[in-house]
Amino acid sequence: MTAEVKVEEKQVESEVVIAPAVVPEETTVKSVVEEEEVKAVEEDESKPKGVEKSASFKEESDFFADLKESEKKALSDLKSKLEEAIVENTLLKTKKKESSPVKEKKEEVVKPEAEVEKKKEEEAEEKVEEEKKYEAVVTEEAAKDETVEVVAAEEVIPKEEVTTVVEKLEEEDNKEEEEKKTEDVVTEEVKAETIEVEDEDESVDKDIELWGVPLLPSKGAESTDVILLKFLRARDFKVNEAFEMLKKTLKWRKQHKIDSILGEDFGEDLASAAYMNGVDRESHPVCYNVHSEEVYQTTFGSEKNREKFLRWRFQLMEKGIQKLNLKPGGVTSLLQIHDLKNAPGMSRTDLWVGIKNVIMTLQDNYPEFVSRNIFINVPFWFYAINAVLSPFLTQRTKSKFVVARPAKVKETLLKYIPADELPVQYGGFKTDDDTEFSNETVSEVVVKPGSSETIEIPAPETEGTLVWDIAVLGWEVNYKEEFVPTEEGAYTVIVQKVKKMGANEGPIRNSFKNSQAGKIVLTVDNVSGKKKRVLYRYRTKTESSS
């Protein structure tokens, strides 16, 4: 029979979201894992593992008329504060505070020292809870994920490794807090002794821009609202917090000379670590991040290399933003894909501390520029790492996380990215400098278990060349290709004899030059017990169209 063509749906279904939709501020690593376990029990077993359906993040409108009244007020208040700060040249200046004698400040420093013992006891209790949490994660994920073909013995992570990572990240976090406290104390003492010291921050020009968008509200640029809404949403429409976040971002960009980073040359060494390629179903530019042991050995081997990697990653983010349309109704964010197939294990605590710092820097200085983070080829230990990193991320960031184990990578990506925009290495049809296809429609047919379907490609010309791409999600089918002439009594030509396709086969591209009218017939025989999705496209080339 001839299969009925069904053009790929534009509807994108939600995936497994790493973190629950609402988590109180005091959420700990343990509570995140416990909530994930509860979710796993409640999920419908009929849904494919690793790509379960769940409530996921949805981008909001940037049109002022679509905002809630409270959001409109917050935006107006932020614009007023920003206008005043720019006009009065106080945007990047630190307001001076009247300081009391040094003695008063020292009393504040003594207070936390009195609580040190209590804090140590709490940390000891948390370590015990984290060890219990780890055991729960490993047990639950091993039972839950039936799609994993093999879980190697070395993937069973000793709980000491989880504890080590937790301790390292907490130690780093506590160190940063202590350094900040020390800097605050020193600053206050200097102020108490020398009130006359002037702020060294430079003046702000009224033409100040961020990502090419004027920040002065009175200029009336419609893109200004889009940028300010990003900071407001990142801080739940709390005006003062959003304003402080904006100021910190501007200072960070100035300190690290981000506005000139596009002109820097980092060579080709890092080109394979991350790259932009194509767009998703909602026209978001897609950035692929390849996390591998080889990349991290190169980039995190020394302080100089780490700094180079960070600047290169910020440059890539800036290049991605250049592809956006920062106007109401435009595409204002990127889709991030994280491939963890060859990612370093949990024992590399130095790398995970570095990764945490990269994530937090991007989160703090590029608010709402990521529509979704999709993690693919997720290893067994990822769930434990996620629980460890979770407390350092905002709830809004976590709501954009989607994960897929190796068996569900193609299925997950194709729900967000059309086949003609998905690179061939991930199961799509997109190749660099493809001269065969441009805007041809990708169609789909479903083959039921134990049945077969045929796809017919017409060849009405007496001479021409037929080119086609075909991919079956998960394959495990018998596949063949034939040319059937229109002329009665003519012989059928076997283009590809019957071949048993393994589960990990990639897309197939083939062509046939015909000397008579007829049709190409592609036959997919589903010998498995599961239905199969077949994606295909074709093009008929004649002398006039070549």
Side-chain angles (χ1 to χ4, degrees):
M1 61 177 286
T2 300
E4 222 179 305
V5 173
K6 184 175 74 174
V7 178
E8 282 190 331
E9 303 265 337
K10 293 294 181 184
Q11 181 66 30
V12 179
E13 233 181 325
S14 300
E15 307 293 331
V16 152
V17 179
I18 291 287
V22 178
V23 180
E25 290 183 0
E26 61 269 23
T27 299
T28 62
V29 171
K30 178 183 177 183
S31 66
V32 171
V33 175
E34 289 176 343
E35 291 189 37
E36 288 178 339
E37 293 174 349
V38 172
K39 275 177 68 178
V41 175
E42 294 175 347
E43 283 167 349
D44 184 351
E45 301 215 354
S46 65
K47 298 185 182 72
K49 300 292 181 181
V51 220
E52 293 94 337
K53 190 176 181 180
S54 177
S56 184
F57 175 80
K58 184 177 180 181
E59 286 188 291
E60 302 93 338
S61 170
D62 288 324
F63 286 103
F64 186 79
D66 294 336
L67 301 178
K68 299 175 182 177
E69 289 304 317
S70 59
E71 295 173 346
K72 290 179 180 178
K73 184 179 185 305
L75 178 58
S76 297
D77 290 347
L78 179 57
K79 290 169 75 172
S80 296
K81 289 177 70 72
L82 183 58
E83 180 84 20
E84 180 182 351
I86 294 176
V87 171
E88 296 183 2
N89 193 27
T90 60
L91 183 61
L92 299 182
K93 289 184 178 293
T94 304
K95 290 185 178 180
K96 293 184 178 180
K97 297 179 180 179
E98 292 296 329
S99 56
S100 52
V102 181
K103 179 181 178 182
E104 180 183 338
K105 191 64 187 180
K106 286 184 177 178
E107 289 176 356
E108 291 184 22
V109 179
V110 173
K111 184 177 179 180
E113 291 178 356
E115 298 176 357
V116 169
E117 291 302 321
K118 183 179 178 181
K119 186 175 180 181
K120 285 183 178 179
E121 292 176 6
E122 291 176 352
E123 288 176 349
E125 291 176 2
E126 287 177 0
K127 283 184 182 179
V128 175
E129 291 176 351
E130 284 158 4
E131 291 179 1
K132 293 179 181 178
K133 171 271 299 180
Y134 165 76
E135 294 172 359
V137 170
V138 174
T139 304
E140 180 65 21
E141 293 303 333
K144 172 184 172 185
D145 206 326
E146 298 176 358
T147 63
V148 182
E149 295 100 356
V150 180
V151 176
E154 61 266 24
E155 285 187 312
V156 179
I157 317 145
K159 61 185 180 182
E160 290 81 2
E161 289 189 17
V162 180
T163 305
T164 302
V165 175
V166 173
E167 290 176 345
K168 188 77 175 176
L169 291 174
E170 288 181 344
E171 177 186 332
E172 199 72 18
D173 201 42
N174 291 336
K175 183 179 178 182
E176 290 173 3
E177 289 182 6
E178 289 302 319
E179 288 177 352
K180 187 175 183 301
K181 287 180 182 178
T182 304
E183 289 174 2
D184 290 343
V185 172
V186 172
T187 300
E188 289 298 328
E189 289 180 352
V190 170
K191 279 186 177 181
E193 294 172 358
T194 318
I195 304 262
E196 297 80 9
V197 172
E198 290 293 333
D199 195 321
E200 296 182 357
D201 288 331
E202 294 181 9
S203 300
V204 175
D205 193 282
K206 290 183 180 180
D207 293 327
I208 183 173
E209 294 184 348
L210 182 56
W211 298 299
V213 176
L215 284 184
L216 187 65
S218 59
K219 283 183 174 290
E222 57 182 352
S223 298
T224 303
D225 282 5
V226 174
I227 296 298
L228 297 185
L229 281 170
K230 288 182 178 294
F231 286 90
L232 283 168
R233 285 176 174 136
R235 291 296 179 264
D236 298 323
F237 282 88
K238 296 174 182 176
V239 177
N240 290 335
E241 292 184 17
F243 186 55
E244 289 303 314
M245 184 184 190
L246 173 60
K247 292 200 297 183
K248 288 179 180 178
T249 294
L250 292 171
K251 289 181 179 179
W252 174 81
R253 292 179 68 84
K254 180 180 176 182
Q255 178 185 352
H256 294 277
K257 300 179 180 178
I258 301 299
D259 288 337
S260 62
I261 204 169
L262 286 172
E264 296 183 25
D265 182 10
F266 297 100
E268 297 297 321
D269 296 344
L270 297 169
S272 62
Y275 54 91
M276 306 293 299
N277 193 342
V279 297
D280 69 3
R281 294 181 183 275
E282 297 174 336
S283 299
H284 298 108
V286 182
C287 180
Y288 293 85
N289 301 271
V290 182
H291 303 267
S292 68
E293 181 73 33
E294 180 182 355
V295 168
Y296 287 119
Q297 283 180 350
T298 303
T299 57
F300 286 86
S302 66
E303 184 63 35
K304 182 179 180 180
N305 286 342
R306 282 195 292 272
E307 182 63 28
K308 177 183 177 181
F309 174 78
L310 284 173
R311 290 194 64 75
W312 169 82
R313 190 61 186 80
F314 298 149
Q315 184 192 67
L316 184 65
M317 195 69 183
E318 294 290 323
K319 287 181 178 179
I321 291 174
Q322 285 194 322
K323 296 177 179 291
L324 302 178
N325 179 15
L326 299 176
K327 294 181 179 179
V331 176
T332 64
S333 58
L334 311 169
L335 175 67
Q336 296 277 356
I337 307 294
H338 302 271
D339 189 350
L340 304 179
K341 186 175 182 179
N342 298 308
M346 288 191 65
S347 60
R348 301 296 303 274
T349 56
D350 56 329
L351 299 185
W352 289 109
V353 170
I355 291 171
K356 184 209 81 170
N357 292 335
V358 173
I359 291 173
M360 291 184 68
T361 301
L362 292 174
Q363 173 183 262
D364 292 342
N365 297 288
Y366 294 93
E368 300 303 305
F369 273 106
V370 176
S371 62
R372 191 172 275 103
N373 280 291
I374 302 179
F375 297 85
I376 60 174
N377 291 312
V378 171
F380 188 69
W381 46 259
F382 173 80
Y383 300 96
I385 277 290
N386 173 67
V388 171
L389 292 175
S390 186
F392 301 103
L393 305 174
T394 66
Q395 185 53 41
R396 191 172 174 88
T397 295
K398 290 184 286 187
S399 72
K400 301 177 184 179
F401 284 9
V402 173
V403 295
R405 293 302 298 268
K408 296 296 180 181
V409 170
K410 294 177 185 177
E411 182 177 342
T412 299
L413 293 179
L414 285 168
K415 286 186 176 181
Y416 293 95
I417 305 171
D420 55 337
E421 290 288 342
L422 184 65
V424 289
Q425 62 266 36
Y426 292 116
F429 297 146
K430 187 177 178 63
T431 59
D432 294 334
D433 303 320
D434 192 348
T435 58
E436 298 291 354
F437 291 93
S438 53
N439 298 315
E440 284 75 15
T441 300
V442 175
S443 302
E444 176 182 334
V445 63
V446 175
V447 187
K448 296 178 181 179
S451 66
S452 63
E453 296 285 355
T454 59
I455 298 168
E456 296 184 358
I457 303 175
E461 300 284 341
T462 55
E463 286 190 17
T465 302
L466 302 167
V467 184
W468 61 89
D469 284 334
I470 183 170
V472 180
L473 270 64
W475 285 100
E476 292 183 323
V477 299
N478 292 330
Y479 174 71
K480 68 176 181 179
E481 303 170 344
E482 300 171 305
F483 176 74
V484 181
T486 302
E487 184 180 345
E488 189 175 344
Y491 290 104
T492 296
V493 179
I494 297 176
V495 180
Q496 167 65 60
K497 64 181 181 180
V498 178
K499 180 181 180 182
K500 187 174 183 179
M501 308 295 288
N504 297 320
E505 295 281 351
I508 292 175
R509 172 171 292 186
N510 207 350
S511 63
F512 179 77
K513 188 171 183 178
N514 63 303
S515 58
Q516 56 185 317
K519 61 185 176 182
I520 288 288
V521 179
L522 312 178
T523 304
V524 179
D525 182 16
N526 186 3
V527 294
S528 73
K530 299 178 181 179
K531 68 178 182 180
K532 297 293 181 179
R533 290 175 58 197
V534 182
L535 304 176
Y536 66 94
R537 66 179 177 179
Y538 63 87
R539 179 187 174 197
T540 303
K541 296 194 301 181
T542 61
E543 289 186 5
S544 59
S545 65
S546 296

